[in-house]
Amino acid sequence: MADSDEAAETTQWRRAAKFYRRPLGVPWLIALVVIPLLLGAIGYGLSERTRSQVNGPTGALPTLAPPTSAGASPPAPTIPPISLAPVSITRNGKDITLRGDFPDEKAKRALLDAVIASVGSEANVIDNLGINPDINALDFSDAGPVFNAAASIPDFGLSVAGDTITLTGTAASMAQADAVLQAADDAWPNLNIDNQIEVSGPITPTGSPAPAPAPGGHGR
């Protein structure tokens, strides 16, 4: 009987020992308070970092180019003006004087050939042309018709400055002056032509009908 009582007490003690817990000390209480606070701070930091990554940086972003209105066309490119070296052709009776510079011998020869071909041996061509490879000069390779139309104008002149070609002289008729101007327009369509050619004879519009004969002018 005594053995059974001792066995029962041992069993009860073991059952009681199975559910036994030591009381929590002060360090454990501090840990219980501090750890949730740390976890909360870490979670807040992660949430703020995630929100920052999603939303992106705040504030105005740098602008690389000025804003343009919708549908506005881009600005037109700036085209530098044409600047040709000065060249002059001046005729005084049978003397034709050429002055100016050209970038090479080929360009210079184009002017000489055009002038000589238009006057032949009837005029004396005075060559005062030079070579300067650093300039832009007018192309006279298509200028033959201009000098042919002006061959009978004894004081014909042609000068070049910048983007303008100036024609001078005294034509015998309006048709002759118009022919020189038209030939210059065809040879240099992208340049300004300043026509100062005067007409010495009576100015009659091209294509106008002849005046009617006076009454009784048909003879007897």
Side-chain angles (χ1 to χ4, degrees), residues 2-219:
D3 294 336
S4 60
D5 292 338
E6 291 178 358
E9 289 178 359
T10 302
T11 302
Q12 292 177 359
W13 181 83
R14 289 178 179 174
R15 290 176 180 174
K18 184 176 181 180
F19 298 101
Y20 176 75
R21 296 289 186 273
R22 293 180 61 183
L24 299 176
V26 174
W28 280 96
L29 293 175
I30 295 174
L32 290 176
V33 174
V34 172
I35 290 175
L37 293 177
L38 291 176
L39 292 176
I42 293 172
Y44 177 79
L46 292 176
S47 63
E48 286 297 317
R49 182 178 179 182
T50 302
R51 185 179 300 109
S52 176
Q53 292 176 350
V54 172
N55 296 336
T58 59
L61 296 177
T63 303
L64 299 180
T68 56
S69 58
S73 59
T78 302
I79 301 176
I82 299 174
S83 181
L84 299 174
V87 174
S88 67
I89 299 95
T90 305
R91 181 169 184 176
N92 184 10
K94 292 186 177 182
D95 292 334
I96 301 177
T97 305
L98 311 181
R99 293 186 178 90
D101 292 331
F102 286 88
D104 51 45
E105 191 66 32
K106 180 181 179 181
K108 170 185 171 181
R109 194 71 234 177
L111 173 58
L112 282 170
D113 291 344
V115 172
I116 293 173
S118 66
V119 297
S121 59
E122 296 180 1
N124 178 33
V125 178
I126 304 172
D127 180 6
N128 289 331
L129 301 174
I131 301 296
N132 184 352
D134 298 327
I135 64 170
N136 294 322
L138 183 65
D139 183 7
F140 284 91
S141 58
D142 295 327
V146 178
F147 296 112
N148 290 334
S152 58
I153 299 178
D155 60 347
F156 174 72
L158 185 152
S159 60
V160 182
D163 63 347
T164 302
I165 299 172
T166 303
L167 307 175
T168 59
T170 306
S173 64
M174 181 61 72
Q176 186 182 46
D178 289 342
V180 177
L181 176 60
Q182 185 61 54
D185 284 332
D186 294 340
W188 304 293
N190 297 327
L191 297 176
N192 299 319
I193 307 297
D194 182 10
N195 183 22
Q196 297 183 11
I197 297 178
E198 299 178 353
V199 178
S200 61
I203 301 176
T204 303
T206 304
S208 62
H218 295 284

